[in-house]
Amino acid sequence: MAAAILDGKAMSEDLRSGIARRVEKLKEAGIRPGLAVILVGDDPASEIYVRNKGKGCEEVGILSETVRLPAETTQEALEKEIDRLNRDDRIHGILVQLPLPGHLDEEAALARILPEKDVDGFHMINAGRMMSGVKGVVACTPKGALHMIKTTGLDLSGKEAVVIGRSNIVGKPMAMLLLRENCTVTICHSRTKNLAEHTRRADILVAAVGKAGFVTPDMVKPGAIVIDVGINRVDGKVLGDVDFDGVKEVAGWITPVPGGVGKMTITMLLDNTVEAAERKRELAARG
Ligand code: GUN
């Protein structure tokens, strides 16, 4: 039997109406959540992401500011901009679109963002909180992917989860979230030997590789939940890391690309921004 489709578009619409209601509630208290996105240079893929983030904000009533800086921007100028947004009371979330041009220090830029405004969850403080199981900002893509996994209604405790990819943005935080759900987690990467032997054991398989069609049906356990994080542009088409047509005949659940995790990433960014505004309000109320 063909897999059930985990529809990121439908789930996002549902979640976004809840987020819009929270925005309304904040507005009644005189607070409009604000998100600033810094885009350095003119990478076409980043342009699309940033445009979609702006559209998402508009949809739920979040104030959005896009700061465009030229490709030759210095580290000092970038950090000055981050400092300005850190001080701006209208802005609850700051996101520096990655990748940055090669001459810039990504780690230093991310560390400059106030942890409470780090809606990407990339600041070391938030990454550390996640590692320690302490409440903090959770990175948007893994947060969205976990939400999709949970909609299957399966008890995740004790399940075999395999994550392909070890990036700080997806692979590592995804593995931590699944561990928190009491899965037995394996992280595979480019040096993993006999990859398919690992993936075939997975009840939950997350592909964050960056290669179109990398996960083939023979790599998938029948009935597994397959989450495709890949966004690969091939001949003008957007393709995932999973061979969707083949794998959907084996898996129990599968996310499409487009219309899967990508949509959920932006929804979680909106969620994190509203959460940052709610947290600030709570702290102010406590005095
Ligand atoms: N580039 C690709 N994905 C992301 C993301 O989730 N956040 C940021 N800041 N940059 C990205």
Side-chain angles (χ1 to χ4, degrees), residues 15-244:
L15 288 167
R16 286 184 195 195
S17 55
I19 294 169
R21 279 196 295 275
R22 285 158 60 203
V23 171
E24 272 313 305
K25 211 167 152 199
L26 283 164
K27 281 188 185 163
E28 282 164 18
I31 299 158
R32 183 172 185 200
L35 171 69
V37 175
I38 302 179
L39 176 59
V40 186
D42 47 17
D43 176 62
S46 292
E47 283 281 352
I48 297 173
Y49 290 138
V50 168
R51 205 179 320 134
N52 287 336
K53 285 166 189 170
K55 273 196 222 160
C57 284
E58 204 176 307
E59 200 183 312
V60 298
I62 294 175
L63 167 81
S64 104
E65 176 179 341
T66 303
V67 179
R68 289 171 188 276
L69 299 173
E72 60 277 11
T73 298
T74 62
Q75 186 75 23
E76 196 189 348
L78 171 60
E79 292 187 9
K80 216 171 133 190
E81 202 56 43
I82 295 171
D83 290 346
R84 177 183 72 78
L85 294 165
N86 277 339
R87 286 191 303 267
D88 188 337
D89 277 340
R90 295 171 314 135
I91 298 298
H92 302 88
I94 304 170
L95 179 148
V96 175
Q97 184 64 35
L98 304 178
L100 287 171
H103 67 282
L104 293 173
D105 183 342
E106 222 160 76
E107 215 173 282
L110 296 177
R112 194 86 181 185
I113 300 171
L114 283 176
E116 60 268 32
K117 292 197 177 189
D118 164 41
V119 280
D120 252 332
F122 294 166
H123 191 287
M124 266 181 283
I125 293 270
N126 285 316
R129 283 176 179 146
M130 158 90 89
M131 276 289 291
S132 317
V134 174
K135 203 165 155 40
V137 183
V138 177
C140 304
T141 300
K143 188 175 176 179
L146 182 66
H147 181 90
M148 297 179 101
I149 293 167
K150 284 188 168 175
T151 62
T152 63
L154 291 192
D155 178 10
L156 303 185
S157 183
K159 290 277 188 296
E160 290 282 342
V162 173
V163 179
I164 320 176
R166 55 174 156 177
S167 71
N168 290 335
I169 295 182
V170 183
K172 286 185 210 163
M174 186 77 244
M176 282 303 132
L177 285 184
L178 290 164
L179 186 60
R180 254 201 228 170
E181 298 295 326
N182 300 314
C183 292
T184 302
V185 183
T186 305
I187 305 179
C188 297
H189 47 79
S190 54
R191 305 287 174 90
T192 297
K193 293 195 169 68
N194 305 319
L195 176 67
E197 279 179 23
H198 293 283
T199 60
R200 273 198 289 267
R201 282 192 293 105
D203 302 306
I204 300 160
L205 179 60
V206 181
V209 187
K211 286 186 188 151
F214 183 82
V215 175
T216 46
D218 57 301
M219 295 167 73
V220 175
K221 179 176 174 177
I225 303 172
V226 179
I227 304 291
D228 190 348
V229 178
I231 298 179
N232 308 290
R233 274 159 235 280
V234 182
D235 300 332
K237 275 178 80 176
V238 177
L239 299 173
D241 289 346
V242 175
D243 163 15
F244 182 84

Side-chain angles (χ1 to χ4, degrees), residues 239-255:
L239 299 173
D241 289 346
V242 175
D243 163 15
F244 182 84
D245 289 335
V247 170
K248 80 173 185 333
E249 300 304 324
V250 183
W253 291 267
I254 189 167
T255 64

